[in-house]
Amino acid sequence: MTATDPAVIGLAQGWCALSLLHDRIEAHIERALQVHHLSVREYSLLGVLSKQHDGEGGHLQMKQVADAVVLSQSATTRLVTRLEDRALLERYLCPTDRRGIYTNVTPAGLQLLEEARPTNDAALREALREAATKPALAPLVHAVESLQVPIHG
């Protein structure tokens, strides 16, 4: 395949459209979540960590959290620290492995997540509705709307 191969051109155009859709959605949700003093990444992190439980395998390691919120481990650690400073998260030592550190959402973090969820959901629906009016993005919007996949494992 060469750079002028129609398959490569089509693939590149598809990737650009997908990237554009993602960026538009993320920017729209980012603006909407400002009313709650949350970023998209902060909201996502609170959402991922709120699904943890105390049973077997119930707590995520920092690498798993980083993968779930699509950040590097160092960026995830900085994000956790910022939310911990705002009393939305707390860290504590694993009771069975003193080297392990768990991160949990505090009651204040859970409350903020619940308050922000309708804003996030409405912004997502609005961004998708707006993107569906663009011919290059409409097929991707329909594909996203038809997906039924579990999020964050």
Side-chain angles (χ1 to χ4, degrees), residues 24-122:
R24 282 177 176 232
I25 291 170
E26 186 170 66
H28 193 85
I29 294 171
E30 188 79 37
R31 285 188 302 274
L33 286 174
Q34 285 178 356
V35 74
H36 301 284
H37 305 287
L38 281 174
S39 70
V40 169
R41 296 285 189 214
E42 291 167 340
Y43 177 86
S44 179
L45 180 63
L46 288 172
V48 166
L49 293 176
S50 73
K51 292 176 177 64
Q52 296 183 125
H53 56 84
D54 288 330
E56 180 80 21
H59 278 84
L60 299 173
Q61 296 173 346
M62 196 55 72
K63 167 126 179 51
Q64 294 169 302
V65 174
D67 289 346
V69 296
V70 194
L71 289 173
S72 68
Q73 280 188 260
S74 61
T76 302
T77 299
R78 288 190 302 274
L79 184 58
V80 166
T81 299
R82 281 198 313 268
L83 292 178
E84 187 179 34
D85 290 346
R86 292 172 55 193
L88 301 173
L89 295 178
E90 61 187 0
R91 290 186 243 200
Y92 64 95
L93 290 176
C94 170
T96 58
D97 179 358
R98 304 298 279 173
R99 295 170 296 169
I101 298 175
Y102 287 163
T103 304
N104 276 339
V105 181
T106 64
L110 290 172
Q111 180 179 346
L112 182 58
L113 181 63
E114 287 307 309
E115 290 170 1
R117 184 165 298 162
T119 302
N120 180 80
D121 295 350

Side-chain angles (χ1 to χ4, degrees), residues 118-135:
T119 302
N120 180 80
D121 295 350
L124 174 60
R125 283 191 298 276
E126 190 175 301
L128 286 170
R129 188 172 44 250
E130 183 180 303
T133 66
K134 311 291 184 209

